[in-house]
Amino acid sequence: LKAAAAMLDRLPNVVLEVTPAKAGRLTATVDPATGFDASLYARATCGSGADLACAEDGFTGEVETIELDVEAGTPVYVVVDGYSGDSGAFSATMTLKERPKNDTCQTAEALDLVAGTPLVVKASTAAAKDSGHGSCGGSSAVPDVFYSITPPVSGNLALTLQPASGFDTVLYVYEGTCGASASEVDCDDATGSSAESLTIPVTAGKT
C-alpha cells in the first residue's frame, strides 16, 4: 500500500496504490474523520478510465465501502475523493480475503467418500469469483466453489447444501471434463435461504 499520483479528472483526491500479495476479494473502507462527505472508488490504472467499484452512498461524515476482485501482484488504485469537491482528513482500511483454491472447475477440491459415511464440508464463497452457472438459479455473476467426487462404489449419491450464513444458494452437478464438454446432471435452487438437496445415480470410479 502506497500513495500514488492524484487522478486528474477528480480533484481534490488522494490515491492509494494497493498491490495484493494474493488473489482474492479486496474490501476498502474510508472513514471521514473530519466529517466531510467522502466518496470512494477504484481503478485498474492510475489515471482516467472506468471505475472497478465506486461508492458515494453516505452523507457527511458517513463511512464508504467498496469491494472488488483482485489478482496477486497486480496493483489497483483506490481513490478517496469528496462529493462536489468536499475534502478533509480520513482513515482508510484495506482488507483482503484470499480466494479459495477451488474457485474453478479445473481446481476443484477432491472429496474422498466412504460408502455409508456422511462427509461434512464447511467453506465459504465470500472471496471466490464467478466461474460457472447451473441451469437453475439464474445467471447473475455470483461467486462459486467447486468439488470433485469419484465414488468408490456405484449407487445413489445424496448431496445437501446448507447455507450457514443464510444466503440464497444454488447446488448443481456436472459430469465429464471441465469446460464445454461437461454436461449437467441436475440442479437445485430452493426458495430463499432453504437447504438445497440432490440425489443422483453414480458409477464407481466415474468423477
Coordinates of all heavy atoms in Angstrom, one line a residue, residues 19 187 195:
T19 N -1.2 -3.3 -3.9 CA -0.7 -4.4 -4.6 C -0.9 -5.7 -3.7 O -0.2 -5.9 -2.8 CB 0.8 -4.3 -4.9 OG1 1.0 -3.1 -5.7 CG2 1.2 -5.5 -5.8
C187 N -29.7 -29.9 -11.0 CA -29.5 -28.6 -10.4 C -30.7 -28.3 -9.4 O -31.8 -28.7 -9.7 CB -29.5 -27.5 -11.5 SG -29.2 -25.8 -10.9
A195 N -32.2 -25.1 2.5 CA -31.2 -26.0 2.1 C -31.5 -26.5 0.7 O -32.6 -26.7 0.3 CB -31.1 -27.1 3.1

